[in-house]
Amino acid sequence: MDRRNFLKGASMLSLGALAACNNEKAAPAPAVNVEVNNPDKYFGLQIYTLGNELYAGNLADNFKKLHDMGFKYIELAGYDVNTNTVGGVDFTEFKKQANDAGLEIPSSHVNAPGLFSGVAGRESRDGSDGQFNRSMINKVADSFKKVAEDHAKQGIQYVVHPMMAYLNTEDDVKAFAEMLNKSGEIFKAAGIQFGYHHHNMEFARMVKGVKGFRLPTVLTPLTAADGPMIMDLLMDNTDPANVCYEMDTYWTVMGQQDPVVWLKNRANRIKLMHVKDFVVLGDSGAMNFKNIFEQFYANGNKYLFCEIEDIDSGKQMQRVEASMKFINAQPWVK
Ligand code: MG
């Protein structure tokens, strides 16, 4: 194959991946500079998006800004189990300021303290380097007890584990699922629903005889014949009563998967969603959010969190505002 034909082939495969995410016919790229503001939309923000911008100046004022944009609720990142703080602010005080600004807090992202340590909404590895194996199941699950206690006191409904550990074998994946399941039992006893948030790695497959996982690409797709998909192993080895899943639209597409197909096939497992595009919601035209939202609502779910990476850009508050303008202008957002 010469270079020109190779590029042509690659381009067609890329388009195929985008078509997969669009599920049905592609919607035209939406404009974000619309001035429609429907204050009735029930939509949230994962505060990881804002990085330090959330804490610049006055936290209460920044919460008010988010509420004025139209956000009704937030999902936490940056809770510290050792100090019971969020982004360095006392948890009770943080919640009071959010609530006073009209923002509910239904959910919080927390890495298992026995596996990773969390710093101001970012994941940093502890001494274990995130490597997980069967011998760690109970220690890691037990490390969630204090997390459950602190979050129950604040009336948080969901605590979500945001990150996969390093897993080398299919048995490591099953052991990781067992840890999630045990953790879910701890949260359930505290009146909290535990969840798991994926990236693209969970759409990789564990190939027999190969250490670690293999990610599909547009040029090298993988099938069930190559080995089981990590996401299927996690869902099939956890009890729906103990562990729900938070879909991330961007990472699903990066894993060469269609969010709508997963929402249909795993309707009883996916309860929360990170609404994520390449940057500002709606700008890329690559995500058919209409189809995704309609299926998400049809499954009986309600919590949708805007998320944007590149948290040190210095432009996150503007990007969040532009994203909310897009959301407010969509008739299919409830
Ligand atoms: Mg996410």
Side-chain angles (χ1 to χ4, degrees):
M1 189 185 281
D2 66 29
R3 180 174 161 76
R4 190 156 165 265
N5 278 332
F6 172 81
L7 288 174
K8 197 173 156 195
S11 163
M12 286 172 77
L13 284 166
S14 298
L15 286 173
L18 290 181
C21 118
N22 278 327
N23 190 259
E24 290 163 23
K25 63 181 177 183
V32 294
N33 59 340
V34 286
E35 294 304 326
V36 183
N37 184 26
N38 179 347
D40 295 331
K41 303 293 189 192
Y42 194 65
F43 197 70
L45 176 71
Q46 165 49 263
I47 62 166
Y48 160 82
T49 298
L50 292 173
N52 291 328
E53 286 184 50
L54 179 63
Y55 305 96
N58 184 304
L59 179 64
D61 288 347
N62 290 332
F63 280 145
K64 188 169 181 309
K65 250 187 237 174
L66 294 174
H67 186 260
D68 288 347
M69 289 176 199
F71 289 101
K72 302 296 192 296
Y73 52 90
I74 55 174
E75 180 177 62
L76 302 181
Y79 158 82
D80 184 331
V81 68
N82 296 312
T83 54
N84 193 18
T85 55
V86 179
V89 179
D90 173 77
F91 202 162
T92 302
E93 181 60 24
F94 189 101
K95 179 172 181 270
K96 184 183 183 304
Q97 291 194 21
N99 289 168
D100 286 352
L103 298 168
E104 302 165 48
I105 308 179
S107 179
S108 175
H109 268 210
V110 184
N111 268 308
L115 186 59
F116 300 109
S117 57
V119 181
R122 305 183 201 192
E123 287 79 39
S124 63
R125 311 276 188 224
D126 67 6
S128 72
D129 205 22
Q131 188 73 49
F132 189 85
N133 60 58
R134 193 162 281 283
S135 74
M136 297 164 68
I137 292 172
N138 288 331
K139 175 180 167 271
V140 174
D142 285 351
S143 73
F144 268 128
K145 282 181 179 161
K146 171 73 163 45
V147 178
E149 194 184 304
D150 288 351
H151 282 74
K153 272 184 200 152
Q154 305 298 340
I156 310 295
Q157 292 167 253
Y158 295 88
V159 169
V160 179
H161 192 276
M163 192 77 184
M164 195 172 86
Y166 290 123
L167 306 169
N168 281 325
T169 65
E170 188 176 325
D171 189 63
D172 287 349
V173 179
K174 287 179 178 167
F176 188 69
E178 204 173 321
M179 180 278 287
L180 293 177
N181 209 43
K182 278 196 188 262
S183 303
E185 280 174 17
I186 289 165
F187 281 104
K188 196 165 63 178
I192 294 169
Q193 171 69 61
F194 183 55
Y196 180 75
H197 165 280
H198 67 84
H199 291 80
N200 58 336
M201 300 91 79
E202 288 83 352
F203 300 107
R205 290 180 183 272
M206 303 304 286
V207 178
K208 279 195 178 26
V210 176
K211 192 180 174 189
F213 53 75
R214 277 188 61 196
L215 267 167
T217 71
V218 289
L219 294 172
T220 56
L222 298 170
T223 69
D226 294 295
M229 188 179 279
I230 292 174
M231 186 64 101
D232 286 325
L233 288 171
L234 294 180
M235 287 185 169
D236 292 341
N237 288 280
T238 49
D239 183 339
N242 295 339
V243 185
C244 72
Y245 288 81
E246 182 172 60
M247 169 175 274
D248 185 302
T249 55
Y250 172 83
W251 288 118
T252 303
V253 170
M254 287 301 106
Q256 308 293 319
Q257 297 289 310
D258 182 343
V260 176
V261 169
W262 278 86
L263 284 166
K264 282 183 177 164
N265 291 346
R266 297 289 193 168
N268 67 330
R269 305 307 303 273
I270 301 166
K271 302 292 179 192
L272 306 168
M273 185 173 311
H274 277 185
V275 181
K276 188 171 181 177
D277 203 334
F278 287 72
V279 188
V280 172
L281 298 187
D283 264 11
S284 76
M287 303 278 172
N288 194 331
F289 285 127
K290 178 176 185 290
N291 290 356
I292 296 169
F293 276 52
E294 283 175 354
Q295 190 60 50
F296 185 77
Y297 292 135
N299 289 358
N301 302 316
K302 64 176 184 175
Y303 291 120
L304 297 148
F305 304 96
C306 167
E307 186 180 44
I308 304 169
E309 293 290 349
D310 194 18
I311 64 171
D312 294 324
S313 72
K315 299 175 187 168
Q316 295 303 87
M317 198 60 98
Q318 290 159 252
R319 289 169 169 176
V320 160
E321 186 168 19
S323 295
M324 194 66 216
K325 276 187 180 172
F326 168 75
I327 289 295
N328 276 331
Q330 307 311 317
W332 36 267
V333 181
K334 290 183 183 173

